[in-house]
């Protein structure tokens, strides 16, 4: 069961943020929380393509957004085709974002929903699990939350008592913006919780590997579409057979490209030759403390062309831009209250750095 959200980063309760997500907290307490998991490309389609192909964006071909015409070099490299050879039936519900038409990918079943919002995606997944499938399955359930536009804050999301994310100044506008994000996260958590409850109710929880993650950082300035940890750092909670249990926390650096080879390792499937990630099973079995000396990230195109690359070790991160623009690429930051705050403070005229080195 591949549960995934839009634009959530690590801003959920199990990562220590004041963003209540009780169902994801419960999942973390039952499984393994990866505190240093990173996406390989902090934009929507490239990130998702990395996970389902086990390749970096420049290798898979998905260097921009699928709905803007970017495609995988070879859709048979999608994980559903490898799993089909091992006897798995694949179903898509909700967001996929690696093809303009979901039929292009090759799922055995595509369940259409009126939208990608929780209120449509979650019931469809619950209904499917209620049919108690007997064949091994790969079920992807993708939610539009927490993408902008955010949900309206409720009583539990009072802007007066809300702290904006780290790159943003603490102002009334950024507090209101973050309060709306928290409302979307609450809705997302309810939707994911309903799917997890259905897995349990139908006797499927014990022998199902749950992979819960998101595509990239949250849709705030300096986060989504950026190669700092604010953009690349994403939640990853895995629960199920093979040692993914017990409320463990893993501090090893891992990447979305590692998930495909991990599934192959766990299931005894011969890994395809194109995989560029590394199985995480040595971490779970306690054989290694790390599986990477470094991990990589890249952005090429989002709403606009903005090529940049990053390499991160345990200590350092180096980021390099490959375009000579003297002002920020504003279309690559989602509109919202926080963006307005940055623009009012002169962000439009601030030259972006060609290089950054973080210790």
């Amino acid at each position: 069961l591949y549960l995934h959200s839009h634009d959530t980063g690590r801003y959920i309760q199990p990562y220590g943020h004041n963003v209540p997500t009780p169902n994801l907290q419960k999942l973390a307490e039952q499984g393994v929380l990866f505190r240093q998991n990173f996406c390989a490309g902090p934009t929507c389609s490239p990130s998702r393509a990395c996970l389902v192909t086990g390749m970096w964006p420049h290798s898979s071909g998905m260097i921009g957004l699928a709905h803007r015409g970017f495609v995988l070099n070879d859709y048979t490299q999608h994980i559903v085709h490898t799993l089909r050879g091992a006897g798995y039936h694949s179903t898509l519900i909700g967001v996929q974002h690696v093809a303009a038409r979901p039929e292009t990918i090759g799922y055995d079943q595509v369940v259409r929903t009126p939208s990608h919002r929780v209120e449509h995606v979650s019931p469809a997944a619950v209904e499917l699990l209620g049919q108690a499938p007997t064949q091994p399955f790969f079920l992807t359930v993708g939610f539009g939350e927490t993408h902008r536009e955010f949900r309206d804050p409720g009583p539990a999301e009072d802007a007066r008592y809300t702290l904006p994310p780290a790159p943003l100044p603490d102002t009334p506008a950024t507090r209101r913006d973050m309060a709306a994000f928290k409302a979307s996260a609450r809705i997302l958590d309810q939707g994911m919780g309903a799917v997890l409850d259905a897995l349990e109710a139908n006797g499927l929880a014990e022998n199902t590997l749950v992979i819960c993650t998101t595509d990239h950082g949250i849709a705030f300035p300096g986060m989504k579409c950026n190669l700092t940890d604010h953009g690349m750092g994403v939640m990853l909670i895995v629960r199920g057979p093979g040692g993914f249990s017990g409320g463990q926390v893993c501090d090893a650096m891992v990447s979305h490209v590692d998930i495909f080879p991990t599934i192959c390792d766990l299931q005894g499937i011969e890994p395809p030759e194109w995989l560029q990630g590394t199985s995480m099973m040595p971490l779970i079995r306690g054989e290694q403390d790390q599986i990477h000396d470094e991990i990589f990230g890249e952005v090429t195109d989002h709403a606009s062309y903005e090529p940049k690359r990053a390499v991160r070790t345990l200590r350092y991160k180096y980021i390099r831009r490959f375009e000579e623009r003297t002002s920020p690429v504003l279309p690559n930051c989602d509109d919202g209250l926080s963006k307005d705050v940055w623009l009012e403070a002169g962000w439009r005229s601030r030259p972006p750095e060609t290089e950054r080195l973080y210790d």
Side-chain angles (χ1 to χ4, degrees), residues 196-233:
L196 293 168
D197 287 346
L199 202 66
E200 184 78 38
N202 292 287
L204 298 165
E206 190 172 322
N207 68 336
T208 299
L209 188 72
V210 177
I211 299 163
C212 180
T213 188
T214 188
D215 47 4
H216 45 65
I218 61 179
F220 285 73
M223 303 186 76
K224 175 181 178 178
C225 206
N226 287 272
L227 292 172
T228 57
D229 282 11
H230 297 300
M232 287 177 58

Side-chain angles (χ1 to χ4, degrees), residues 224-248:
K224 175 181 178 178
C225 206
N226 287 272
L227 292 172
T228 57
D229 282 11
H230 297 300
M232 287 177 58
V234 290
M235 65 176 183
L236 176 62
I237 306 170
V238 183
R239 186 194 73 188
F244 293 95
S245 60
Q248 302 174 65

Side-chain angles (χ1 to χ4, degrees), residues 107-326:
Y107 281 93
D108 295 314
Q109 179 183 10
V110 176
V111 177
R112 298 286 185 177
T113 56
S115 78
H116 293 157
R117 292 163 73 94
V118 161
E119 52 265 37
H120 294 131
V121 172
S122 186
V126 169
E127 181 181 357
L128 183 81
L129 291 170
Q131 297 167 12
T134 56
Q135 181 182 355
F137 63 83
F138 176 79
L139 171 61
T140 172
V141 183
F143 296 96
E145 289 80 11
T146 51
H147 196 285
R148 293 181 183 268
E149 295 289 327
F150 297 142
R151 301 297 185 104
D152 292 331
E157 297 94 26
D158 192 324
R160 294 174 298 175
Y161 314 118
T162 297
L163 183 67
L168 276 298
D170 183 8
T171 71
T174 57
R175 284 178 223 134
R176 290 198 303 274
D177 211 10
M178 191 60 183
F181 169 84
K182 289 171 68 174
S184 291
R186 168 172 50 82
I187 299 296
L188 172 67
D189 183 72
Q190 292 169 356
M192 287 188 167
V195 178
L196 293 168
D197 287 346
L199 202 66
E200 184 78 38
N202 292 287
L204 298 165
E206 190 172 322
N207 68 336
T208 299
L209 188 72
V210 177
I211 299 163
C212 180
T213 188
T214 188
D215 47 4
H216 45 65
I218 61 179
F220 285 73
M223 303 186 76
K224 175 181 178 178
C225 206
N226 287 272
L227 292 172
T228 57
D229 282 11
H230 297 300
M232 287 177 58
V234 290
M235 65 176 183
L236 176 62
I237 306 170
V238 183
R239 186 194 73 188
F244 293 95
S245 60
Q248 302 174 65
V249 171
C250 180
D251 285 308
M253 289 193 306
V254 295
S255 168
H256 272 169
V257 295
D258 298 327
I259 291 175
F260 194 152
T262 300
I263 292 172
C264 290
D265 192 358
L266 182 62
Q267 296 297 85
I269 299 169
E270 182 68 24
E273 50 84 22
W274 64 77
L275 296 184
Q276 295 174 313
T278 302
S279 172
M280 297 185 285
M281 293 310 298
L283 301 172
I284 301 304
R285 292 191 293 256
E287 299 167 355
Q288 296 175 215
D289 294 329
Q290 297 286 338
I291 57 173
H292 296 293
D293 292 326
E294 64 279 313
I295 54 129
F296 300 93
E298 61 184 85
V299 171
T300 300
D301 204 293
H302 189 57
S304 186
Y305 182 61
E306 189 179 6
K308 47 193 175 181
R309 303 289 185 263
V311 59
R312 189 193 197 282
T313 65
L314 285 172
R315 179 169 180 180
Y316 296 110
K317 175 178 275 187
Y318 174 70
I319 303 173
R320 173 68 187 270
R321 298 176 61 88
F322 292 94
E323 197 181 24
E324 301 303 320
R325 295 197 193 195
T326 57

